[in-house]
Amino acid sequence: MSSDENNLGTCPVDRGLMRVGDRWSMLVLRDIERGLTRYEQLRTSLGIAPNILSRRLSALVETGLIEKKRYSQRPPRDEYLLTDAGRDFLPILMAIGAWGRKYNGAGTLSRHLDAATGKAVRPVVVDANTGAPIGSRPLHLEIPG
Amino acid sequence: MSSDENNLGTCPVDRGLMRVGDRWSMLVLRDIERGLTRYEQLRTSLGIAPNILSRRLSALVETGLIEKKRYSQRPPRDEYLLTDAGRDFLPILMAIGAWGRKYNGAGTLSRHLDAATGKAVRPVVVDANTGAPIGSRPLHLEIPG
DNA sequence: GGCAGTCACTATCATTTTGCAAGCGACTCG
DNA sequence: CGAGTCGCTTGCAAAATGATAGTGACTGCC
């Protein structure tokens, strides 16, 4: 693990990846956002083994990205919903999607359209201070002493 | 795997994660951006086992995110540099970092400062069309038929 | 020239994680 | 009652990961 108390422990990227740093977790979040909130829906959509899905879901619940909510008593049925933390992660998935489209996007892919304008969303990471895309201005890394 | 020919194959997120969908790959990219471009630097910084690092590096080279470049003949020394694809992924790491800081950011963490203004960068994912943060406007998912 | 030391790995093996397949309990519907 | 669905769990095989040791190419220093 890199979660020692060295300089890596001070890296926010590391902190983020501690909670969602695997493929399945991210794909689960993506699918929940799509409206696939139930176990069986997720399993068939992802093509994931049931034990793995169970484990991922409990891990995501435990780390507070999703929550399990009973929406029917009889029959007992639960659905998995995004928490604030989970919802906040979605833009990152969009950014990953934009990157995947650019560099691994052969064929037709699904995309998000702005509901108002109907235009395809083009996710870009910018600095909220300047509005400039990350990478367009020189940065400096500050490491706490 | 979820890379079947169903609707998931059309998902750009999936496409992106196929190439960098694991913790170590992302941390390697982060470290290379920090200037840790040599094998030994990466190994000690990450605290990763050498065989694992080798495999990750070759995988990243193979998928075109980094390239191995000889910078000294005698002694023979290589460094790993980001390709365009790799550099394009960095903003996503910044966004993950911002998320990690927000939801798992106890203690003091490293951060990026804008070299010109000196202010801490605040990465946000926006729609390049509208400039609005993703999540602030209703979207609609379009899946190719 | 010989020897310690660094760098960039590879090889071997234990441990952990992932994945497949089968099964199970609760319930509904006919 | 019997078949079917949903949401899992259990067992076991396969694959990935990780710890440790070792190796080859070279440098730099007596």
Side-chain angles (χ1 to χ4, degrees), chain B residues 74-88:
Chain B
R74 298 181 59 79
R77 292 278 183 270
D78 303 314
E79 61 186 341
Y80 296 93
L81 299 174
L82 296 170
T83 60
D84 286 345
R87 237 183 322 278
D88 258 16

Side-chain angles (χ1 to χ4, degrees), chain B residues 53-65:
Chain B
L53 178 57
S54 299
R55 211 180 307 163
R56 283 292 121 233
L57 287 172
S58 354
L60 285 169
V61 168
E62 215 169 305
T63 56
L65 280 143

